[in-house]
Amino acid sequence: MPLIAELGEDEAYPQPSAGYDFHERTVSRHLVHRATVSEVFITGWQTAGPYDFLLGAQWPRTHGFYRLPGDDRHDPVLMAETIRQAGLLVSHVGFGVPQGHHFAMDDLSYTVDLDRLAIGTRPASLMLRVSCQDVRMRHRRLLSLRVEIEAERDGQPVGHGSGQVSVIPPQTYRRLRGRDGLYPAALLPGTPTTPALVGRENAADVVLTPARQPGSWLLRTDSRHPVLFDHPVDHVPGMLVLEAARQAAQRLRHPEPVVPVEVVTSFDRYIELDQPCLVRAWLEPGVDKRRVPVRVTLEQDGRTAADCRLVTEPLAPAPARLDPPAFLESPPAFHETCEGLQIAS
């Protein structure tokens, strides 16, 4: 089993141990930073080279949160969470990062084939081929790496993705955040947007609150949500950012139900829980009228904290009577740049 240990300031990481069979059981929830066992999607791992790994993953036939209308296909956003978990696991078992270290994902992207995501009579068992690129070490400790992932289901490609992962020791994280381990109280959740407008059935799963400006919303952070806030954090989780982008894209394309088959997201700074965050979205021109690009930004204190580009595809062939969506004028670009990290908690 993987070794998770606490180390002194100057101690090197121990050598990682071997993995175990694919798809027999989930890996330890601590390896993917989940408190709930049912939210662990990685089910096994093996080394395939110094920087290469084979991972097993499994998606349930239906998930309480990551699900699409009709329950005919798996939600593509499951791919984002799987990539997040894969990056954390590889860092722990492949490079010996101890428990208690913090992780940041500077960017995350994926592309899926919607036709390969059909829900069958069994859970979707995936094989992930993980290649670690741009591996940076210091004193035999991992600083950062990029995971490139190819996902297969029953021997057929399902999609691919990548993520840039940075490792932050506890002492550095405390200095960076300046909160002495305290978790700030989140703002009270605002009134949710009508669930049907953002592709949701339950108001508790809506992460957008209406705002006055068209194409804009306030981020709705409910720390009681059992999936998005699986464990206590001191900032807005990255998967909540992706969910906000997905719901904003669906709102722009309503009433046609769409799914994000491609996502490219950069996390530029922490989004604080105790401050308002503005979500802005607009449609971008595309070659294929069925595959419409949507740009979404999350802004706090007048600065862009996250930038998402989604390619949305209808769940079913679009009726001929539906007109192509109108394009919103892009909002003014922010030219200010900053350094920061969005923790992949």
Side-chain angles (χ1 to χ4, degrees):
M1 293 292 292
L3 176 63
I4 298 295
E6 296 296 338
L7 300 180
E9 185 78 30
D10 299 321
E11 293 182 76
Y13 292 151
Q15 291 297 316
S17 56
Y20 47 83
D21 293 339
F22 302 110
H23 305 131
E24 289 298 319
R25 59 191 184 275
T26 63
V27 301
S28 170
R29 58 191 174 89
H30 301 293
L31 295 174
V32 296
H33 297 197
R34 278 290 171 250
T36 308
V37 173
S38 61
E39 295 303 319
V40 178
F41 298 140
I42 306 298
T43 55
W45 63 274
Q46 291 180 4
T47 57
Y51 295 146
D52 299 305
F53 301 84
L54 291 176
L55 272 58
Q58 190 177 83
W59 296 343
R61 293 168 65 185
T62 57
H63 188 274
F65 180 70
Y66 296 115
R67 62 191 304 179
L68 300 178
D71 289 330
D72 293 326
R73 293 184 177 92
H74 292 284
D75 185 351
V77 181
L78 282 167
M79 182 67 77
E81 172 62 14
T82 303
I83 293 170
R84 187 198 72 85
Q85 293 189 16
L88 295 173
L89 179 129
V90 165
S91 298
H92 282 306
V93 304
F95 296 89
V97 177
Q99 186 177 1
H101 281 48
H102 296 264
F103 288 79
M105 190 156 277
D106 303 304
D107 60 65
L108 187 149
S109 64
Y110 72 76
T111 300
V112 297
D113 184 344
L114 193 58
D115 292 335
R116 299 278 171 85
L117 299 186
I119 295 177
T121 58
R122 297 175 298 170
S125 294
L126 308 178
M127 290 298 300
L128 310 178
R129 301 183 183 276
V130 181
S131 174
C132 298
Q133 309 289 336
D134 302 325
V135 178
R136 297 177 58 217
M137 306 282 292
R138 179 182 297 164
H139 304 305
R140 292 186 293 168
R141 288 189 170 202
L142 180 67
L143 295 179
S144 65
L145 56 80
R146 173 171 293 279
V147 289
E148 299 282 350
I149 297 177
E150 299 286 341
E152 296 180 358
R153 179 185 184 188
D154 298 327
Q156 298 296 319
V158 171
H160 58 86
S162 69
Q164 177 73 24
V165 180
S166 297
V167 181
I168 309 173
Q171 306 93 321
T172 303
Y173 187 76
R174 285 194 295 268
R175 291 195 298 268
L176 179 66
R177 298 293 285 146
R179 293 186 180 272
D180 296 324
L182 300 177
Y183 294 104
L187 295 176
L188 292 177
T191 302
T193 297
T194 302
L197 298 179
V198 293
R200 286 294 178 180
E201 296 181 356
N202 191 339
D205 292 333
V206 176
V207 301
L208 301 179
T209 294
R212 294 181 179 179
Q213 183 179 356
S216 298
W217 304 265
L218 291 177
L219 183 65
R220 185 172 183 269
T221 55
D222 186 352
S223 58
R224 300 167 300 178
H225 196 281
V227 176
L228 294 174
F229 288 88
D230 168 77
H231 57 280
V233 291
D234 69 346
H235 60 275
V236 170
M239 290 304 296
L240 174 52
V241 171
L242 292 180
E243 182 60 27
R246 181 247 285 279
Q247 291 189 18
Q250 177 60 73
R251 180 65 187 92
L252 293 188
R253 296 205 61 185
H254 181 77
E256 185 176 40
V258 296
V259 291
V261 294
E262 296 182 19
V263 170
V264 177
T265 301
S266 64
F267 304 104
D268 302 318
R269 59 174 59 247
Y270 296 106
I271 301 178
E272 305 297 345
L273 291 166
D274 54 357
Q275 300 175 28
C277 178
L278 183 66
V279 180
R280 301 206 288 175
W282 62 98
L283 301 174
E284 294 187 328
V287 177
D288 187 343
K289 292 182 179 180
R290 283 178 47 80
R291 294 170 55 87
V292 178
V294 181
R295 183 80 171 273
V296 182
T297 60
L298 281 79
E299 303 163 14
Q300 196 168 69
D301 289 334
R303 295 175 292 185
T304 299
D307 191 325
C308 308
R309 185 181 185 273
L310 309 86
V311 175
T312 57
E313 184 173 310
L315 271 174
R321 57 184 172 82
L322 286 180
D323 296 326
F327 293 99
L328 297 179
E329 182 180 356
S330 300
F334 285 94
H335 299 289
E336 181 177 1
T337 59
C338 58
E339 293 185 358
L341 295 171
Q342 170 69 46
I343 288 294
S345 298

